[in-house]
Amino acid sequence: MVRQGNIDNPPKTPLVPGFECCGIVESVAENTQGFEIGDRVMAFLNYNAWAEVVCTPVDFVYKMPDDMTFTEAAAFSLNFVAAYMMLFEVASLREEMSVLVHSAGGAVGQAVAQLCSTVPNVTVFGIASCFKHTSIKDSVTHIFDRNTDYIQEVKKICPDGVDIVLDCLCGENTGKSLSLLKPLGTYILYGASNMVTGETKSFFSFAKSWWQVEKVNPIKLYEENKVIAGFSLLNLLFKQGGCNLVKSAMDKLLSLYEQKKIRPVVDSLWALEEVKEAMQRIHDRGNIGKLILDVEKSPTPLMANDSTETSEAGEEEEEPEGDNDSKERMPFIH
Amino acid sequence: MVRQGNIDNPPKTPLVPGFECCGIVESVAENTQGFEIGDRVMAFLNYNAWAEVVCTPVDFVYKMPDDMTFTEAAAFSLNFVAAYMMLFEVASLREEMSVLVHSAGGAVGQAVAQLCSTVPNVTVFGIASCFKHTSIKDSVTHIFDRNTDYIQEVKKICPDGVDIVLDCLCGENTGKSLSLLKPLGTYILYGASNMVTGETKSFFSFAKSWWQVEKVNPIKLYEENKVIAGFSLLNLLFKQGGCNLVKSAMDKLLSLYEQKKIRPVVDSLWALEEVKEAMQRIHDRGNIGKLILDVEKSPTPLMANDSTETSEAGEEEEEPEGDNDSKERMPFIH
C-alpha cells in the first residue's frame, strides 16, 4: 500500500519500506537498558525495515525466544500483535464466542485463527478466495468464498449472528458485516499499512475507500446494540504512543509461542533482489501467510508453502516482507 | 420519552408506561421454575410497569436479596444493569482507567460512578448541571458543568484522553466525546427509553436526533484507534433476546449489592396520583437518582434528597419511576 501510494500523507521518496524486522543487535545507545550486543531481537520500525542495518528506539524492540528461528521472528510481531489486540483488547474474546474473519488466508487472518484456537469452543468463520480454501480450511471452523453469499451461509449456522467480525479495509463490507453481528457484538475494521490489492480487482485506494465506506449512525448502533471499532497497529505504535500496550500484548504472545500454542505462518522466503517478484505474488493474492525478505538469501525463491497459485479476485492481503537468519546483521521484515 | 412520543414506533395509546418494577409474586404460571407465590422480586416489563399488578415472563424476574428494601429494588435493575453492561461488557473497565460520564447526576450516571468505585484507581469525570454539583461531587473524581468547555478541562488532567465515555442520546456531543478518547478508548451512546428532556432546552426528539447525530466514518475510527458503541438495554431485553446476558449481569450486581459495594440512589417517592408532578420534576432536571412511584403511598412527596431545585438547562435525565413497599401486590417502577 505504501508502494502504491494508497496512504494518507505518504513519505517522500526515495524511501525504504518495511515496518518490522528481526536480527541481531549490533550496537546499543548509551544507557540502553535490557539489551546487549548479540541479542536476537524482533523490532518495529516506522519505515526502513527493508534494509540490512536498522536503528529503532528500544521501546519497539523485543527479545526473541531461544527456540524461535529468524524466519518465524520475521513473521511474528505485526500480525500476532494486531490479531491479539483486536481479539482481546478491542473485543473481549471469550469461550463459546464466534468470530468471522475476512482475508482468512492472510497473515493477520491466520494469526486470528490461531489465537481463537487458544480459547475453548470459539467458532471461526473464515472468508477467503476459493483457491485458498484447501490450504487454510484446517485453521478455521467454517470457510466461505468471498464471492458467494456468505452472509446467508453464516446465518444458517449462527442465526443470532456472530460476536466479532474482523474486516480489513475493503470499503464495501461494513454494512454487510455489521448486519452479521449479534447484539453486543463488535465489528473491527483493521488494516496494516502493508495491505495491497490485487490488480484483478477494481482499483482501490485508501482515499477512495474513505468515501466508499458506509458511514455509521451512532443511533443505529444504539438501536441494535452494536460496537464498531477501528484498529491500526502502526498508528498506535508510531503516532499514538501505544508502545506499552503493544509490549504487554507481545509478552502474552511470546508466552503463547513458548507454550507452542501459536506459530507464525510463512509463505515464502525471498532475496532482497527479488522484492519485485515477492510483491507480485502478494498482488496476485497467491500467498498464504507472510513473505519474508532475507538479506542473506541469494535470488531463488524457496516456497515454504506450495499450496496456491496466482491471480484471482480475492481478499485484501498483507504484504509482509522480512528477512531471516542473518547471523551478523539486523534483518528487516515488513 | 415514551410520554413525549419521542421514540420510534411508539405503542398505541392508551398505554401504561414503565419498564421495571418490584413487588411480591401473586401467582406463577404452571411449570414455572424458581419462583413461588410470596417471593420478593424485581422485574423488567415491556411497558405496563406503572400498574398495581403486572405479568411478565419468568426470564425477566429476579429475586430480591433479603436485606434489600422495595424502595431500593424499584431503583436497582434498569440503571445498574445498563451501567454494568456498558462498563464491563461493551467496554472492559479495568484498574487505572478513566471514565467520563455525561448526566452524572442521573440514575444511570450515579450507577456508573458507584460501579467505577468497585475497580481500583478508576478516575471518573462527571458532567452535570452546576446546580447538581454539591449533591454528586463525592460520587466522582472530578466534576464539570456541561455548559463549560469541559473538554479542555479534562484534557488538562488527562492529556492523552480518557478510556471510556458514556453519553446518553443528546445529539450534539458525539464528535466532542470521540475527541476525548484515548487510543483504544470506547465511546458508548446509551439511552434508556425513559430519557426526557427539559423544556428549558431547545426541543429535542429522537427522530430529530437521528439526523443531528454526527455520523462516523469507520476509517476515522481506524486511523484513530477508537471504538464507538451503542447500548439500549430495553432493545436488548425485549427485541434481541438478551435475557441471559442480563441475568448474568444481575447476578454480579446482586453480589456487589450484598457486599455493600453498590446502593441505588433514590431521589423521591411519589404516589401514583402524583405522576404528573413527578414527571415535572424530571423535566425540570431537579432529580438526583430515581423517582419511585409507590402504589401504596398517599399523595405527598417524601423527598429522599432535598438537594436540588428546579428548572435550568441541564442534562438529559432519566425518568425513573417505580413503586415501593407494597406488601400485597406487585409494585411497578418506571
Side-chain angles (χ1 to χ4, degrees):
Chain A
M1 208 155 122
V2 170
R3 190 183 53 75
Q4 292 176 308
N6 289 342
I7 57 169
D8 270 353
N9 305 314
K12 285 187 186 150
T13 53
L15 67 84
V16 178
F19 297 100
E20 62 176 337
C21 64
C22 64
I24 294 169
V25 175
E26 281 209 345
S27 70
V28 293
E30 267 184 61
N31 304 321
T32 301
Q33 303 285 318
F35 291 95
E36 290 177 6
I37 291 170
D39 281 348
R40 299 162 78 240
V41 296
M42 302 176 275
F44 291 113
L45 284 94
N46 195 9
Y47 294 99
N48 296 318
W50 299 4
E52 294 183 332
V53 180
V54 301
C55 178
T56 196
V58 70
D59 286 342
F60 300 139
V61 183
Y62 315 92
K63 281 194 184 156
M64 284 168 55
D66 289 340
D67 57 348
M68 185 183 270
T69 66
F70 283 114
T71 305
E72 287 180 317
F76 190 82
S77 313
L78 206 57
N79 299 319
F80 273 117
V81 169
Y84 185 91
M85 295 190 81
M86 289 193 287
L87 290 172
F88 297 105
E89 301 283 335
V90 180
S92 299
L93 181 65
R94 294 187 295 269
E95 288 189 34
E96 310 285 344
M97 279 188 167
S98 51
V99 177
L100 180 136
V101 58
H102 289 273
S103 305
V108 173
Q110 288 291 293
V112 164
Q114 288 190 32
L115 287 170
C116 286
S117 74
T118 67
V119 178
N121 302 320
V122 169
T123 302
V124 181
F125 296 93
I127 312 296
S129 300
C130 239
F131 65 92
K132 293 193 178 180
H133 287 197
T134 311
S135 314
I136 65 171
K137 68 178 180 345
D138 293 340
S139 66
V140 297
T141 322
H142 303 279
I143 192 156
F144 300 107
D145 182 4
R146 59 173 280 135
N147 296 315
T148 62
D149 185 1
Y150 57 83
I151 301 284
Q152 288 312 312
E153 296 298 317
V154 172
K155 282 190 174 162
K156 273 184 208 161
I157 298 165
C158 287
D160 297 336
V162 299
D163 292 289
I164 300 172
V165 172
L166 298 171
D167 193 3
C168 50
L169 278 175
C170 48
E172 57 182 341
N173 286 325
T174 310
K176 273 166 89 175
S177 297
L178 273 174
S179 77
L180 259 182
L181 283 183
K182 258 184 205 175
L184 303 193
T186 304
Y187 166 88
I188 306 176
L189 183 71
Y190 72 93
S193 77
N194 52 1
M195 193 169 54
V196 294
T197 53
E199 302 287 350
T200 52
K201 263 193 91 183
S202 64
F203 178 74
F204 164 98
S205 75
F206 189 85
K208 201 171 160 202
S209 76
W210 178 277
W211 298 108
Q212 280 180 340
V213 166
E214 193 181 339
K215 291 182 186 58
V216 176
N217 189 322
I219 293 181
K220 186 175 158 72
L221 299 177
Y222 155 77
E223 289 183 331
E224 298 184 353
N225 277 306
K226 288 180 177 174
V227 183
I228 180 167
F231 185 76
S232 161
L233 179 54
L234 296 180
N235 283 0
L236 186 65
L237 276 170
F238 302 122
K239 293 184 183 171
Q240 296 160 357
C243 59
N244 287 338
L245 291 168
V246 170
K247 174 80 170 64
S248 153
M250 270 297 260
D251 289 345
K252 287 165 192 152
L253 286 163
L254 291 173
S255 161
L256 288 171
Y257 176 84
E258 283 168 355
Q259 296 167 54
K260 301 193 188 307
K261 291 187 174 171
I262 58 174
R263 187 184 60 83
V265 178
V266 175
D267 178 77
S268 47
L269 306 180
W270 304 78
L272 265 182
E273 295 85 343
E274 295 169 323
V275 66
K276 186 183 156 210
E277 291 78 9
M279 299 293 283
Q280 190 62 50
R281 179 165 171 81
I282 297 165
H283 253 282
D284 294 342
R285 301 174 184 288
N287 62 309
I288 306 285
K290 278 271 201 188
L291 280 75
I292 311 286
L293 286 186
D294 181 347
V295 293
E296 297 204 330
K297 192 178 170 302
S298 45
T300 307
L302 167 67
M303 307 302 283
N305 179 324
D306 62 354
S307 55
T308 60
E309 291 303 330
T310 52
S311 54
E312 182 164 321
E315 308 137 52
E316 311 309 328
E317 284 295 343
E318 292 80 13
E319 179 193 292
E321 314 278 321
D323 103 341
N324 173 51
D325 292 317
S326 170
K327 296 299 178 296
E328 292 166 17
R329 294 189 172 175
M330 186 108 165
F332 319 94
I333 312 165
H334 152 70
Chain B
M1 208 155 121
V2 168
R3 189 183 53 73
Q4 292 175 308
N6 290 341
I7 57 168
D8 270 353
N9 305 314
K12 286 188 185 149
T13 53
L15 67 85
V16 178
F19 298 100
E20 63 176 336
C21 65
C22 64
I24 295 169
V25 175
E26 280 208 344
S27 71
V28 293
E30 266 185 63
N31 305 321
T32 301
Q33 303 286 318
F35 292 95
E36 289 177 6
I37 291 169
D39 281 347
R40 299 162 78 241
V41 295
M42 300 175 276
F44 291 113
L45 284 93
N46 194 8
Y47 293 99
N48 295 318
W50 298 4
E52 294 183 331
V53 180
V54 301
C55 179
T56 196
V58 70
D59 286 341
F60 301 138
V61 183
Y62 316 91
K63 280 194 184 156
M64 285 169 55
D66 289 341
D67 57 349
M68 184 182 270
T69 66
F70 282 113
T71 305
E72 287 180 316
F76 190 82
S77 314
L78 205 58
N79 299 319
F80 273 117
V81 169
Y84 185 90
M85 296 191 82
M86 289 193 286
L87 291 172
F88 297 105
E89 301 282 335
V90 179
S92 299
L93 181 64
R94 294 187 295 270
E95 288 190 33
E96 310 286 344
M97 279 188 168
S98 50
V99 177
L100 181 137
V101 58
H102 289 272
S103 304
V108 173
Q110 288 291 293
V112 164
Q114 288 189 33
L115 287 170
C116 285
S117 74
T118 67
V119 178
N121 301 320
V122 169
T123 302
V124 181
F125 297 93
I127 312 295
S129 301
C130 238
F131 65 91
K132 292 191 178 180
H133 287 198
T134 311
S135 314
I136 65 170
K137 69 177 179 347
D138 292 341
S139 65
V140 296
T141 322
H142 304 279
I143 192 156
F144 299 108
D145 182 3
R146 60 173 280 133
N147 296 316
T148 62
D149 185 0
Y150 57 82
I151 301 284
Q152 288 312 314
E153 296 298 317
V154 173
K155 281 190 175 163
K156 275 184 207 162
I157 298 165
C158 286
D160 297 336
V162 300
D163 292 290
I164 300 171
V165 171
L166 298 170
D167 193 4
C168 50
L169 278 175
C170 48
E172 56 182 341
N173 286 326
T174 310
K176 273 166 88 173
S177 297
L178 272 174
S179 76
L180 260 183
L181 282 184
K182 259 185 205 175
L184 304 193
T186 304
Y187 166 88
I188 306 176
L189 183 72
Y190 72 92
S193 77
N194 52 1
M195 194 170 52
V196 294
T197 51
E199 302 287 349
T200 51
K201 265 193 88 182
S202 64
F203 178 74
F204 163 97
S205 76
F206 189 86
K208 199 172 163 201
S209 76
W210 178 277
W211 298 108
Q212 280 180 339
V213 166
E214 191 182 340
K215 291 181 187 59
V216 176
N217 189 322
I219 293 181
K220 186 175 159 70
L221 300 176
Y222 155 77
E223 289 183 332
E224 298 184 352
N225 277 307
K226 289 180 176 175
V227 183
I228 180 166
F231 185 76
S232 161
L233 179 55
L234 296 179
N235 283 359
L236 185 67
L237 276 169
F238 302 122
K239 293 185 182 171
Q240 296 160 358
C243 59
N244 288 338
L245 291 168
V246 171
K247 174 80 169 62
S248 154
M250 271 297 261
D251 290 345
K252 287 164 193 153
L253 286 164
L254 290 173
S255 162
L256 288 171
Y257 176 85
E258 284 169 354
Q259 297 166 54
K260 302 194 188 306
K261 292 187 174 172
I262 59 173
R263 186 185 61 82
V265 177
V266 175
D267 178 78
S268 47
L269 306 180
W270 304 78
L272 265 182
E273 295 85 344
E274 295 168 322
V275 67
K276 186 184 156 208
E277 290 78 9
M279 299 294 282
Q280 190 64 49
R281 179 165 170 79
I282 296 165
H283 253 282
D284 296 340
R285 303 174 183 286
N287 62 308
I288 306 284
K290 278 273 201 187
L291 281 76
I292 311 286
L293 286 185
D294 181 348
V295 293
E296 296 204 330
K297 192 178 170 301
S298 44
T300 306
L302 167 65
M303 306 302 282
N305 179 325
D306 62 355
S307 54
T308 60
E309 291 302 330
T310 53
S311 55
E312 183 165 320
E315 307 135 52
E316 310 308 328
E317 284 294 342
E318 292 81 12
E319 180 192 292
E321 315 277 324
D323 105 341
N324 173 49
D325 293 317
S326 171
K327 298 297 178 296
E328 290 166 19
R329 294 191 172 173
M330 184 108 164
F332 318 96
I333 312 166
H334 155 83

